[in-house]
Amino acid sequence: TYQLYKENPTAFTPPLATGANAQALGSGSFARHTGSLAHSSGVFGTLGDAQSGEYILRGITTAAAWTDLFLDGISDKLILDDYSTWGAFITISARRFDVVNEVALFTLQLSLDRASGPSSVRILPGMTKSVLGRDDNTWDVKATDDTYNGALGLSVKGQGGHTIRWVARVATTEVTN
């Protein structure tokens, strides 16, 4: 017989998944965001205080205006806990829906920190953006510190009269006090 996986739960803190369609793997992981995947091999003191995360955000543009991406495609934001620091590697893919073969691919690398309260969230200096390819130079992406919600903001800009689907994968390394 074959085993797809084997676990050895010594000194184990049960993982917790509270987000819709979320998965928590390993000792002490906490998947609280919609569709999130959290992975940990232990905790400093509380669930999710030393983990990696993977989050998928999506959205559609039909105009040349900045449009936010969301975990549920509608309104669910990627909110940090108080006293959290995240390193993030973000890959964003775009594909025009109403015409074949117009695409784009971007990456962002950044550090995000939140002290006490939503207004304290900030992107640290040193963020990098790469355009790995795009058929139309007007398509663009940006990351912002959403100080209203205490979240990472991801926005995309398409083109007027063109329906473009956008998907972002956010891979994080997270530490929380």
Side-chain angles (χ1 to χ4, degrees):
T1 63
Y2 296 100
Q3 290 182 321
L4 296 177
Y5 70 93
K6 179 119 176 134
E7 70 177 299
N8 181 7
T10 57
F12 187 72
T13 302
L16 179 63
T18 59
N21 302 311
Q23 296 178 17
L25 304 172
S27 178
S29 61
F30 184 25
R32 64 185 183 89
H33 294 289
T34 299
S36 62
L37 173 61
H39 184 215
S40 179
S41 64
V43 299
F44 290 115
T46 61
L47 285 175
D49 66 2
Q51 69 181 21
S52 66
E54 184 173 332
Y55 310 92
I56 307 296
L57 293 87
R58 59 189 159 88
I60 296 174
T61 58
T62 57
W66 288 105
T67 302
D68 290 339
L69 300 180
F70 298 100
L71 292 163
D72 62 355
I74 301 167
S75 63
D76 200 359
K77 300 247 182 186
L78 189 52
I79 298 171
L80 281 74
D81 284 333
D82 280 349
Y83 306 107
S84 294
T85 302
W86 290 11
F89 184 82
I90 304 165
T91 306
I92 303 172
S93 297
R95 183 170 192 85
R96 187 166 167 194
F97 180 69
D98 53 347
V99 169
V100 177
N101 294 332
E102 284 190 26
V103 300
L105 182 64
F106 304 86
T107 61
L108 298 166
Q109 290 180 306
L110 58 93
S111 298
L112 193 66
D113 184 67
R114 177 173 166 169
S116 179
S119 64
S120 68
V121 73
R122 64 190 175 106
I123 293 176
L124 300 173
M127 178 173 60
T128 62
K129 177 172 97 174
S130 298
V131 179
L132 301 179
R134 63 180 162 189
D135 289 317
D136 188 305
N137 287 334
T138 62
W139 298 11
D140 205 359
V141 302
K142 69 179 177 180
T144 58
D145 38 18
D146 176 349
T147 57
Y148 182 78
N149 295 292
L152 169 63
L154 285 178
S155 300
V156 296
K157 185 168 68 169
Q159 189 176 4
H162 298 88
T163 302
I164 303 164
R165 292 179 173 173
W166 300 82
V167 176
R169 176 184 177 261
V170 180
T172 62
T173 304
E174 308 169 15
V175 61
T176 304
N177 286 356

